[in-house]
Amino acid sequence: MEWQGEASVMTQRRHGENAVILTVLSRDAGLVSGLVPGGASSKRAAMLQPGNRLSLRWRARIEEHLGTFTVEPLRARPGLMDSADALAGTNAVTSLLTYALPERDPHPALADATEALLDRIDAGQGWAESYLRWEMQLLDELGFGLDLSSCAVTGARQGLAYVSPRSGRAVSAAGAGDWAPRLLPLPALLGGCGNGGIADALRLTGHFLQTRLAEFHAGKPLPPARARLVARLTASEVSHS
C-alpha cells in the first residue's frame, strides 16, 4: 500500500532511540500516521514540528499496518511557536483533530479550514474568532452542527437569544417563554441579540463538544489543550475590556 501527498503535522512522539511516529492531516486522506526513521534527530525534529507543511510518501505492506513515511519539507510555520497564545492555539487545534477524527477519514473542507487557521496563527493575525468558527465547523463535520439561522419555535430570524442544549438550534427571546432558564445564551458574536464575546461563544461550543463529541461520540474527556486555550483567550478578552 502507498499514499503520497502534502499534509501538515499534527503530532509526533518518540519511538525507540531515533525514530518518531508522525501523525499528519491531509486534504485527501485525512489523518495518516507513520514511522519516520531518524525523525528524532535535532535536524529532522525541527522539520516535524506541529503545524509545519510537508511532502510525504507513506508505504506499508498492508493498509492496516502503521507504515513508514519518507518526508520532505514544504513550508515551516515558525509563528506557531512565537508566543504562548500561538502555541496554545496550535496545541488545541492539533489535539482536537487527533482526538475527534478517525484515521484515514478525509474531511477536505475541515482540512482547508485548518490550514487557513494555522496560517492566521502563524502570521500573528487576530485569530480568536477564526478559531471559534473552526470549532463550529468541526462540530458540523462530525454531524453535530449547530443551527443558528432561525428560531426552532417560531421560525423567526430576528431576536435570537438562546440555543437549545439538546437540539443545538437557536431560540428567540419570544419563543423561549418559560423555558428560557433551561436554554444556553446565544452570544452576540454568534448572532445573538444580547451581549457576549469570545468567552461566551467558546462556552457554547464547549458545551456541544463535551456533550456530543466527548460523551456521546468519543467516550472520553476532551483534550486539556482546549481548556488551556479557552482560559488564555478568556483572560485576554477580560484584560482588553
Side-chain angles (χ1 to χ4, degrees):
M1 298 296 298
E2 182 172 321
W3 169 81
Q4 184 171 352
E6 297 181 5
S8 290
V9 178
M10 295 290 103
T11 65
Q12 59 154 297
R13 65 182 189 273
R14 192 79 172 253
H15 183 78
E17 292 187 6
N18 300 310
V20 299
I21 295 175
L22 192 70
T23 299
V24 299
L25 178 70
S26 70
R27 192 177 195 276
D28 63 329
L31 291 175
V32 183
S33 294
L35 191 70
V36 182
S41 69
S42 56
K43 181 179 180 180
R44 304 203 84 189
M47 177 177 66
L48 303 181
Q49 288 298 314
N52 283 354
R53 192 81 179 153
L54 305 174
S55 174
L56 306 112
R57 176 174 290 176
W58 176 89
R59 291 177 176 173
R61 286 203 304 169
I62 59 175
E63 188 174 0
E64 290 75 17
H65 284 184
L66 176 63
T68 300
F69 280 129
T70 55
V71 180
E72 294 293 337
L74 282 179
R75 181 162 61 92
R77 288 184 169 112
L80 300 183
M81 302 184 71
D82 267 359
S83 70
D85 282 354
L87 185 58
T90 303
N91 288 340
V93 170
T94 57
S95 296
L96 278 171
L97 285 171
T98 54
Y99 169 89
L101 299 182
E103 290 241 352
R104 302 173 203 173
D105 179 23
H107 290 265
L110 181 60
D112 289 344
T114 301
E115 293 299 320
L117 176 57
L118 291 175
D119 283 342
R120 288 188 69 88
I121 299 175
D122 178 47
Q125 300 171 352
W127 49 266
E129 186 172 343
S130 296
Y131 174 81
L132 168 68
R133 303 293 174 182
W134 178 86
E135 281 199 346
M136 296 276 288
Q137 185 165 352
L138 176 64
L139 285 167
D140 192 55
E141 289 275 337
L142 295 173
F144 305 135
L146 310 185
D147 182 356
L148 307 180
S149 60
S150 62
C151 175
V153 179
T154 67
R157 294 182 177 273
Q158 305 298 321
L160 303 177
Y162 304 101
V163 178
S164 165
R166 291 189 177 182
S167 71
R169 293 198 61 188
V171 181
S172 67
D178 294 339
W179 285 88
R182 305 184 188 185
L183 303 177
L184 303 171
L186 178 60
L189 188 58
L190 291 175
C193 61
N195 300 316
I198 190 69
D200 297 294
L202 288 171
R203 192 173 298 115
L204 178 66
T205 56
H207 168 83
F208 290 99
L209 286 170
Q210 177 62 37
T211 59
R212 295 189 175 188
L213 176 58
E215 295 177 7
F216 176 75
H217 182 65
K220 56 185 178 181
L222 290 171
R226 192 222 176 233
R228 290 194 291 267
L229 173 63
V230 170
R232 296 194 68 87
L233 295 179
T234 299
S236 178
E237 182 178 50
V238 170
S239 68
H240 288 90
S241 61

